[in-house]
Amino acid sequence: MNENPGKTHPTKGSAMKEDPAKGSTMKDTCAGSEWTSRYASSLMNTFGTPALVLTKGEGAYLEDAEGKRYLDLLGGIAVNALGHCHPKVVAAIEEQARSLGHVSNFFATEPQIRLAEKILNIVEPGGAPEGSRVFLANSGTEANEAALKIVKAHGLAVSPEKTRVLALEHAFHGRTLGALSLTWKERYRTPFAPLIPNVEFIAANDPEALEAAISDDVAGIFVEVIQGEAGVHELDASYLSLVRELSRAHNALMVVDEVQTGIGRTGDWMGHHASGIVPDVVTLAKGLGAGMPIGACVALGECANVLGPGMHGTTFGGNPICAAAALALLDTLEEEGVLSCVKELSGTWRAELALIEGVAEVRGRGMLIGLDFIRDIAAELVEVGRRAGFILNATGPHTLRLAPPLIMNAEQAASFTKALPRLIVEATGLKEKSR
């Protein structure tokens, strides 16, 4: 594949369809605009009109139905840790699919067990505390649902009055009703009110607000190490330490949502490792499956026994194909020293981005970066960036979130850095023209 983002190839996107007359499979070739029309007439309008119809991926690059290439600086929203179609992941999926695809959780499979063991080895430096266990799910929101059940069951086991749950302002923990109850944004919450009661939001990085809110009737507190959807805002290590100290003092569980920051995204296996804390529950997803749907709720120590048989479940959780993909990803990150490369490249990249005129602030760790601009041009930057061959994501009027594959190299990062000044000028012009 050509290494230049934005280059167009002559081939069109295609899919396979059955020919009723011949009973065989043939190419279904459409332009991107036709695919978009078919999308609108067949899928619910929960995501709006898709910006592109994507057909191929390789490494840090994607290709659309018109054959145009893009450098993927979103990574499927921090999912594609090894980029697209990594050969070791593809081989693992193919091999597992030939032997066993699904059996339900009435039975165990080798990939499921090996993945749980691997997660317990990396979730804390030196391994998880004795007695820790993993619940394998299909997504981040499901992992957080499991964590919320652990918190609520723990609280009720201590006292019928121990029902309050704390979450942080600007938090995002998912879209199912339980996880949504922990999510800050009113636009997401209002259409489904009333949600789970006794969830209270407190200001992030505010020790006084935390101390005022926490008491013996709190069952648990949910935090993200870096609030990605809020624009990549990091919690102070001292604040995380205080959450750990006060939650333990009041017999409340501390849940760290590592759905976006886990599995090497920050340059450490887990985002909370840099703070030195050991939480009670860690939730994972996104990067864990290398693009396959998977989530994990990791209960550390005694709270691993809170949920017993019949208290929670999932039909597809621990699916052997998804587990095989996750194992291939974790092995590759280890064997190829990807995390140290993430730390080295990201520090240089953030420093270079901060020097660009029009950039107000650069935040984040590893390959999770927030870019603030002096003007409200984020939406326009997504548009002009796409035209130039870059996949970008706006989390607010003046903020971009960069979450590229962890395997992105210095040359690829530099291509965006070099293009950004021009993109800012174009985005500013587009903004002024639309007024």
Side-chain angles (χ1 to χ4, degrees):
M1 298 180 93
N2 191 300
E3 290 298 303
N4 295 319
K7 179 158 183 179
T8 300
H9 298 270
T11 58
K12 299 288 185 182
S14 64
M16 305 299 288
K17 71 175 183 180
E18 292 295 322
D19 182 346
K22 299 180 180 179
S24 62
T25 303
M26 64 180 185
K27 287 282 185 179
D28 182 5
T29 304
C30 297
S33 58
E34 185 177 343
W35 280 120
T36 301
S37 176
R38 290 170 64 174
Y39 176 100
S41 64
S42 58
L43 282 93
M44 286 189 185
N45 187 30
T46 54
F47 301 105
T49 303
L52 297 168
V53 177
L54 299 170
T55 58
K56 297 178 184 177
E58 182 179 329
Y61 291 95
L62 286 164
E63 185 174 309
D64 70 13
E66 307 296 341
K68 183 175 179 178
R69 297 254 295 162
Y70 304 85
L71 180 62
D72 184 5
L73 297 179
L74 179 58
I77 315 180
V79 167
N80 297 304
L82 291 179
H84 302 277
C85 302
H86 192 283
K88 292 184 179 179
V89 175
V90 171
I93 291 171
E94 289 180 344
E95 181 180 358
Q96 184 59 46
R98 289 191 181 98
S99 60
L100 190 64
H102 173 75
V103 296
S104 88
N105 281 300
F106 289 129
F107 310 97
T109 67
E110 292 180 17
Q112 170 199 45
I113 296 167
R114 289 193 289 116
L115 177 59
E117 291 173 340
K118 187 75 171 181
I119 290 171
L120 291 174
N121 279 333
I122 66 172
V123 70
E124 295 301 330
E130 184 69 27
S132 302
R133 297 290 186 271
V134 179
F135 177 83
L136 291 173
N138 310 289
S139 65
T141 193
E142 291 172 89
N144 283 325
E145 289 282 343
L148 182 57
K149 276 191 172 181
I150 291 172
V151 165
K152 290 178 73 66
H154 158 78
L156 291 174
V158 174
S159 165
E161 282 75 44
K162 198 173 183 67
T163 59
R164 292 173 60 220
V165 178
L166 302 181
L168 301 186
E169 294 177 0
H170 306 291
F172 181 86
H173 295 289
R175 304 273 195 156
T176 50
L177 290 179
L180 186 60
S181 300
L182 304 164
T183 293
W184 164 254
K185 193 174 286 187
E186 281 297 326
R187 181 166 63 89
Y188 297 159
R189 297 163 54 86
T190 299
F192 309 104
L195 297 171
I196 290 179
N198 298 325
V199 175
E200 301 168 29
F201 293 96
I202 60 175
N205 273 337
D206 187 334
E208 291 183 0
L210 173 63
E211 290 169 348
I214 198 162
S215 60
D216 288 344
D217 61 353
V218 171
I221 178 169
F222 283 72
V223 299
E224 299 163 277
V225 179
I226 302 174
Q227 296 184 320
E229 165 125 340
V232 191
H233 291 276
E234 186 168 1
L235 297 187
D236 298 333
S238 60
Y239 181 78
L240 289 170
S241 296
L242 183 62
V243 173
R244 175 67 287 185
E245 176 188 339
L246 293 179
S247 60
R248 185 174 285 132
H250 291 280
N251 195 13
L253 299 184
M254 179 183 183
V255 181
V256 176
D257 180 338
E258 293 267 15
V259 167
Q260 190 161 167
T261 52
I263 315 300
R265 177 59 51 184
T266 65
D268 295 306
W269 277 118
M270 305 290 152
H272 73 271
H273 286 181
S275 68
I277 63 163
V278 178
D280 297 298
V281 182
V282 176
T283 57
L284 303 168
K286 289 191 181 289
L288 178 60
M292 296 295 284
I294 195 167
C297 177
V298 190
L300 302 174
E302 292 182 3
C303 69
N305 299 315
V306 170
L307 296 182
M311 294 180 70
H312 196 49
T314 173
T315 297
F316 292 101
N319 174 276
I321 296 175
C322 295
L327 283 165
L329 173 130
L330 295 175
D331 289 344
T332 302
L333 292 180
E334 268 187 331
E335 293 164 4
E336 299 185 3
V338 174
L339 303 194
S340 60
C341 293
V342 166
K343 285 186 176 180
E344 182 179 352
L345 174 58
S346 65
T348 302
W349 195 25
R350 290 196 308 272
E352 292 172 347
L353 290 169
L355 297 176
I356 294 173
E357 185 177 353
V359 173
E361 184 181 8
V362 180
R363 296 181 299 276
R365 265 195 286 151
M367 288 300 169
L368 183 58
I369 298 173
L371 281 177
D372 277 359
F373 298 88
I374 60 176
R375 295 182 177 88
D376 288 350
I377 56 170
E380 289 76 18
L381 276 168
V382 171
E383 183 176 342
V384 299
R386 187 166 59 247
R387 294 176 191 167
F390 299 100
I391 301 292
L392 301 171
N393 171 243
T395 62
H398 58 269
T399 304
L400 290 183
R401 168 177 50 180
L402 306 180
L406 304 184
I407 60 166
M408 189 181 71
N409 61 39
E411 182 180 356
Q412 292 162 345
S415 70
F416 176 68
T417 307
K418 182 178 180 181
L420 187 54
R422 172 176 54 84
L423 297 180
I424 292 172
V425 172
E426 292 179 11
T428 303
L430 185 62
K431 179 83 172 183
E432 292 173 351
K433 185 177 180 181
S434 66
R435 287 177 178 172

